[in-house]
Amino acid sequence: VAFLGPEGTFSHQAVGRQFGAQIDLMPAASVREVFALTQLGKAHYGVVAVENTTEGAVAETFDALVESELSICGELMLEVTQCLLSASGNLEDVRKVASHPQPLGQCRLWIQRNLRLAELVETASTAAAAQLAASDATIAAIGSEVAGQVYGLRVVEREIEDSPGNTTRFLVLGRESPAAS
């Protein structure tokens, strides 16, 4: 199953919820790569985020859907709790905040209240941001607690999303249309 990687993203968590742990994972560098891997048959299925209750539609996914011949085989909702993650676990060490554009938007007010002088750095995924934070003590990542565990980061603050109950809808994509249910 292809998903926006690396491991530790919310897409990775959605794959686990939908398919369980006994599958071959295929992390992709972008949503478009998830589509390509699935379309070419290198992955049986692809899982992509399509919309979020706070930030709305994921434009990259909608653009790829329009151009793709893949079928939507399923969907799932995942409550998204954002954490601020860093190597030290100390808010005062943070000079930059890194994440995918969607979580940066989901945490806009929290960042303005708590880290208004920090530089914002957009990354391809929340897990890519966690990797970056693991390599530089002045960078904090916004992502899941799972991403923090995967990359050896400490949780500076939990539930930093601006809207409680923040939820992302994911689509399961495949080359064949599912049978009627």
Side-chain angles (χ1 to χ4, degrees):
V1 177
F3 65 96
L4 177 61
E7 291 185 26
T9 62
F10 289 106
S11 295
H12 178 220
Q13 291 174 50
V15 167
R17 179 173 294 164
Q18 184 72 15
F19 295 97
Q22 300 301 315
I23 58 163
D24 291 328
L25 297 172
M26 190 170 289
S30 69
V31 168
R32 289 205 180 266
E33 186 179 350
V34 172
F35 275 82
L37 291 168
T38 308
Q39 184 67 46
L40 293 170
K42 293 183 178 181
H44 288 109
Y45 296 101
V47 174
V48 292
V50 68
E51 67 182 346
N52 175 270
T53 55
T54 304
E55 285 298 290
V58 179
E60 186 179 14
T61 299
F62 275 99
D63 291 346
L65 276 170
V66 169
E67 299 165 3
S68 175
E69 295 179 15
L70 295 173
S71 295
I72 297 172
C73 301
E75 71 175 347
L76 68 145
M77 305 292 276
L78 183 69
E79 189 167 334
V80 174
T81 300
Q82 302 289 1
C83 296
L84 186 70
L85 310 164
S86 77
S88 72
N90 297 316
L91 189 63
E92 56 274 1
D93 295 338
V94 178
R95 300 292 172 261
K96 296 179 183 179
V97 177
S99 196
H100 185 274
Q102 286 274 330
L104 287 172
Q106 292 166 19
C107 304
R108 185 177 294 114
L109 297 175
W110 190 92
I111 295 168
Q112 288 173 354
R113 281 193 308 269
N114 297 281
L115 290 167
R116 63 179 150 76
L117 299 178
E119 178 185 342
L120 301 182
V121 178
E122 290 187 1
T123 58
S125 69
T126 54
Q131 287 177 322
L132 192 61
S135 69
D136 185 334
T138 66
I139 299 174
I142 294 176
S144 70
E145 195 163 351
V146 171
Q149 293 166 356
V150 169
Y151 299 101
L153 299 173
R154 294 183 175 157
V155 175
V156 178
E157 190 79 36
R158 286 178 176 79
E159 298 178 5
I160 66 169
E161 63 275 1
D162 298 332
S163 298
N166 185 27
T167 302
T168 299
R169 182 166 65 113
F170 291 86
L171 298 178
V172 178
L173 307 169
R175 290 186 312 278
E176 298 177 20
S177 297
S181 60

